Amino acid sequence: GFGPLDMTVCILGSPTPFLPVLLEGGTRCPGAMVLCLSPTWASRVPSETSPGAWSLLLSRGVSFKVGGHSALETFEPPRRANYVTGTFAPGDPEGGWVGELARDLDCPTGGSVPLAHRLQDTLVARCVLAAHANLPVPPTLAFVLRARGDLPAEPTAPGVRLVRLEDPQGQQSLVQEEVGTFLGGAAMEPYGQVGTGGAGGVGGTG
């Protein structure tokens, strides 16, 4: 029941992952789906309704219509985004400006750079799932090469063994000992022979 002047769903960055959403949104509510391809097309202004938050205003964007038609439009006055999502992948060249534009908004967002980091980091995800959600994870041995604030000092996640290495070049014996203990431990018995496709995990993380 919303029209393009009532709702603006903004997609920041690459359209590739969101193309089906853009096309379907253009069919159901023509003009409401707006793709923002450049940080120069949007601006952040202090929110009038949520102190400390920001509103995202779009001066340009690619809007989608019925039948997959799209058009590059200039919005005067700028359109205020009611929902924002985009390519929040850490390390992505677009992730910098996308994450910055979507930070601390006064409207719902479909993600953030910190959330993408947590979801894409296997070690962090396993610690969260095992320690906080009480979900089983594969037996895991991880070597951390530097201090990381996003990991607990002493992980309490069942099945996750975290070894911190100050100088990996001089700790080969420790690594070998830890790997041997891990592979020979009771946690790995159900998996039989460990190969490249094994369910357990042995790895290092920067």
Side-chain angles (χ1 to χ4, degrees):
F2 288 94
L5 298 181
D6 304 311
M7 179 174 63
T8 300
V9 177
C10 176
I11 307 293
L12 300 171
S14 171
T16 304
F18 301 97
L19 193 55
V21 176
L22 291 166
L23 295 175
E24 182 65 16
T27 298
R28 292 183 175 269
C29 192
M33 305 294 297
V34 179
L35 173 65
C36 178
L37 295 172
S38 169
T40 62
W41 294 6
S43 60
R44 289 160 51 90
V45 298
S47 173
E48 297 180 355
T49 58
S50 303
W54 301 81
S55 295
L56 186 67
L57 302 181
L58 300 172
S59 58
R60 299 188 75 187
V62 179
S63 62
F64 286 76
K65 317 287 184 179
V66 177
H69 296 286
S70 61
L72 176 61
E73 297 187 45
T74 299
F75 306 119
E76 183 58 45
R79 286 177 60 167
R80 179 180 178 272
N82 304 114
Y83 181 85
V84 176
T85 189
T87 49
F88 295 105
D92 191 307
E94 296 179 333
W97 69 266
V98 170
E100 180 59 28
L101 285 181
R103 180 176 53 84
D104 299 329
L105 296 181
D106 59 359
C107 67
T109 59
S112 66
V113 172
L115 178 61
H117 170 74
R118 292 181 71 87
L119 293 176
Q120 294 181 17
D121 188 304
T122 303
L123 179 57
V124 172
R126 290 188 182 187
C127 287
V128 170
L129 290 173
H132 301 292
N134 295 320
L135 295 175
V137 300
T140 304
L141 172 63
F143 298 95
V144 181
L145 302 182
R146 63 175 182 268
R148 285 183 50 176
D150 57 344
L151 293 173
E154 295 294 334
T156 58
V160 178
R161 167 73 174 153
L162 178 62
V163 180
R164 297 183 182 273
L165 301 178
E166 298 298 330
D167 180 13
Q169 298 300 323
Q171 296 185 287
Q172 292 91 339
S173 59
L174 173 62
V175 172
Q176 292 177 355
E177 180 181 346
E178 290 286 351
V179 171
T181 302
F182 173 76
L183 295 179
M188 290 300 295
E189 288 182 359
Y191 299 103
Q193 183 176 1
V194 178
T196 56
V202 182
T205 176

